[in-house]
Amino acid sequence: MSNSPFATPSPADWRALAEAALKDRDLASLVHLDADGLDLRPLYAAANAGEAVTAPRPSHADGRAWDLRILVEGDDAAALNALALAQLEGGAASLLVRGGVTADSDTLVQTLAGVQLELAEVALDAGLDGATAADALAVAAKGSPRARLAFHMDPVSAFVGQGGGARPLADYLELAGNTAARHAEAYPDARAFLASGRVVHEAGGTAAQELGYLLANAVALTDAAGRAGLSPAQAFQRMVLGVSLDQSYFDGLAKVRALRLMWRTLTRAWGAESEAVIEARSSRRMLAARDAWPNLLRLTAAGFAGAVGGADVIVLDAFSRAAGMPDAFALRQARNTQLILMEEAHLGRVDDPAAGSWFLDTRTRDLAEAGWAAFRQIEREGGLVASVEGGGLQSRVAKAREALVTGYARGDAHLIGVTRFVDEDPRPAHVTDEADDAPPPPDYRCEPLSPLRLAADLETGETAR
């Protein structure tokens, strides 16, 4: 048996084989452009890639690689309390609470009865009522300085997501800043702000648009915190960055890594360099309702992207969420998907496993640069508030949304179970109807970034087999 080493092929060797396989087609036909106009090449090597990128998550979450967070939402405090306790006992590390239970302290206290806030972090998703919900959570924590709280105030996303509010957008930002400053002494470790790009993603925006919006959101929140008396360093300490992940796991993990690089650059420019705390939530625009079971594959891919990309917190939706409010089984699957990724696949055992991949490092760097360009465009328009009120942001996202929907409609992209491998008689998933929580008509309006669900039209029309 020969002990000679394997030959190392050169780019020229690959080129010769590729040209032979393509026959009359040009090599350039293998290069594709993504939604941001970034090129995706067929081969990445030392000859066409830059230096390695390193973007590991800075710390472990109480001995785990990341914080396994479960979303519990609804208006019934007693039912949500039982659900929350079951999820924590089953392996979840923290909770994200959404719905009518965040409206006042009495209801939120009932919802969190038995939850040890010094051990299990509780985050909120209360939209434009974020300041009120933050006050309610502060009451529920009973003044314990060790309570792990994430108020998650994100007024700009809530305002543009529903097309306005009862007061001007600038007033919501001021309220968020003042609320954060008011609770800073009692809860010095609380995370007051969520600078999320989720509203852009769910409306059909590109990865670069999401990242650019996210940074502009963080700047707007930091400015509001400064006017309330908090320094940039204090604001950064109290901020979580929110990103959405869909089934495109390579792009997803590169997006998380790119965000960490961008945040380092932004905070360094403020003279208060800070490590990013990134909460990755699964995309709802990718979920199907007619046949919910393939969503398990998409959600697993999103969880994989968050874990390998280095997210500090991962939240996966229930697979049946597009059809209605999930039952206990669906929520258990959302939790167990993460547990399997963490404890059986051991995805968190290696810090930044994507580092050193020519493709993933190049993709990370390209997304960071494109996201930074999108951020600078918003800043040139006068900042996020001016961009939202003037409609510049929304017009760019609308173009991306149209291109995305068109791509799926003509078959350039596919959803398993919707446009490919369609089950003619899908097994139903048990859900209950979602409460109609439509807000009253806003007094102060802007062009909305309405959420998109890609499968909605495809499920009702003719689908490709």
Side-chain angles (χ1 to χ4, degrees):
M1 185 175 181
S2 173
N3 292 322
S4 61
F6 289 106
T8 302
S10 68
D13 295 329
W14 172 84
R15 184 184 186 91
L17 292 171
E19 287 175 338
L22 288 171
K23 297 180 181 178
D24 296 330
R25 293 170 58 200
D26 189 86
L27 274 177
S29 65
L30 298 179
V31 178
H32 302 282
L33 297 180
D34 72 359
D36 288 305
L38 304 174
D39 64 300
L40 294 169
R41 303 189 291 275
L43 181 69
Y44 290 82
N48 65 349
E51 296 181 358
V53 171
T54 302
R57 63 171 66 85
S59 62
H60 293 285
D62 294 334
R64 286 177 159 184
W66 67 86
D67 181 340
L68 193 170
R69 182 163 292 172
I70 289 294
L71 171 65
V72 292
E73 51 184 333
D75 302 326
D76 187 330
L80 255 61
N81 175 251
L83 182 62
L85 294 177
Q87 292 289 352
L88 293 171
E89 291 168 1
S94 63
L95 302 171
L96 176 61
V97 183
R98 182 178 185 272
V101 294
T102 65
D104 61 77
S105 58
D106 290 341
T107 308
L108 194 55
V109 166
Q110 184 181 358
T111 302
L112 300 177
V115 176
Q116 299 298 314
L117 294 179
E118 292 80 5
L119 300 175
E121 184 168 274
V122 172
L124 301 173
D125 183 355
L128 287 176
D129 295 322
T132 300
D135 291 340
L137 184 57
V139 171
K142 300 177 181 177
S144 171
R146 294 187 301 139
R148 304 178 62 180
L149 311 178
F151 300 141
H152 268 26
M153 290 181 287
D154 186 9
V156 181
S157 294
F159 190 92
V160 72
Q162 66 184 42
R167 61 179 74 186
L169 176 53
D171 288 2
Y172 284 109
L173 276 167
E174 294 304 304
L175 181 59
N178 291 333
T179 302
R182 180 157 37 84
H183 293 301
E185 184 175 354
Y187 300 106
D189 297 326
R191 300 286 182 179
F193 307 115
L194 176 66
S196 174
R198 180 177 175 82
V199 68
V200 169
H201 172 88
E202 297 295 359
T206 68
Q209 288 172 343
E210 179 184 0
L211 291 171
Y213 170 91
L214 191 160
L215 280 198
N217 195 2
V219 169
L221 288 166
T222 302
D223 286 343
R227 290 189 290 272
L230 297 177
S231 69
Q234 290 173 315
F236 298 153
Q237 178 189 353
R238 289 164 172 77
M239 196 169 299
V240 177
L241 310 179
V243 67
S244 290
L245 299 175
D246 61 15
Q247 73 276 16
S248 301
Y249 46 83
F250 282 146
D251 284 352
L253 70 89
K255 183 164 62 174
V256 174
R257 298 176 80 228
L259 175 56
R260 200 171 290 284
L261 299 180
M262 295 168 68
W263 183 248
R264 192 178 303 160
T265 300
L266 179 73
T267 57
R268 188 179 297 159
W270 285 70
E273 184 172 347
S274 174
E275 288 285 355
V277 176
I278 300 175
E279 179 187 270
R281 291 183 62 177
S282 59
S283 164
R284 287 192 172 177
R285 80 183 192 192
M286 70 174 177
L287 297 181
R290 174 184 173 273
D291 183 3
W293 301 95
N295 289 333
L296 288 166
L297 299 175
R298 289 184 272 272
L299 291 163
T300 302
F304 174 90
V308 176
D312 301 276
V313 182
I314 299 177
V315 186
L316 297 184
D317 258 315
F319 73 93
S320 57
R321 185 61 184 82
M325 297 297 290
D327 63 2
F329 170 77
L331 289 170
R332 188 167 73 248
Q333 293 303 308
R335 181 191 72 224
N336 287 350
T337 296
Q338 287 205 58
L339 287 174
I340 290 170
L341 293 172
M342 182 185 295
E343 299 180 2
E344 296 188 27
H346 301 292
L347 293 187
R349 293 287 291 274
V350 176
D351 281 342
D352 199 11
S357 161
W358 281 313
F359 164 55
L360 293 175
D361 282 350
T362 300
R363 188 70 175 146
T364 297
R365 192 164 39 246
D366 286 350
L367 284 177
E369 292 174 356
W372 193 264
F375 162 63
R376 293 187 64 186
Q377 184 170 13
I378 293 173
E379 292 301 294
R380 285 195 299 271
E381 293 171 342
L384 188 55
V385 172
S387 183
V388 165
E389 292 179 341
L393 169 75
Q394 296 93 314
S395 66
R396 293 189 292 275
V397 174
K399 292 179 182 177
R401 177 187 181 122
E402 182 180 3
L404 180 66
V405 171
T406 300
Y408 277 92
R410 69 185 178 204
D412 296 341
H414 293 280
L415 287 171
I416 300 300
V418 179
T419 62
R420 285 281 179 89
F421 309 108
V422 180
D423 188 342
E424 299 289 355
D425 186 23
R427 180 162 57 99
H430 185 266
V431 296
T432 55
D433 292 338
E434 185 174 3
D436 184 8
D437 294 327
D443 296 320
Y444 296 86
R445 299 176 183 272
C446 71
E447 188 68 27
L449 286 178
S450 303
L452 162 73
R453 192 169 66 80
L454 290 165
D457 292 335
L458 300 171
E459 287 171 328
T460 58
E462 292 295 324
T463 54
R465 297 322 196 250

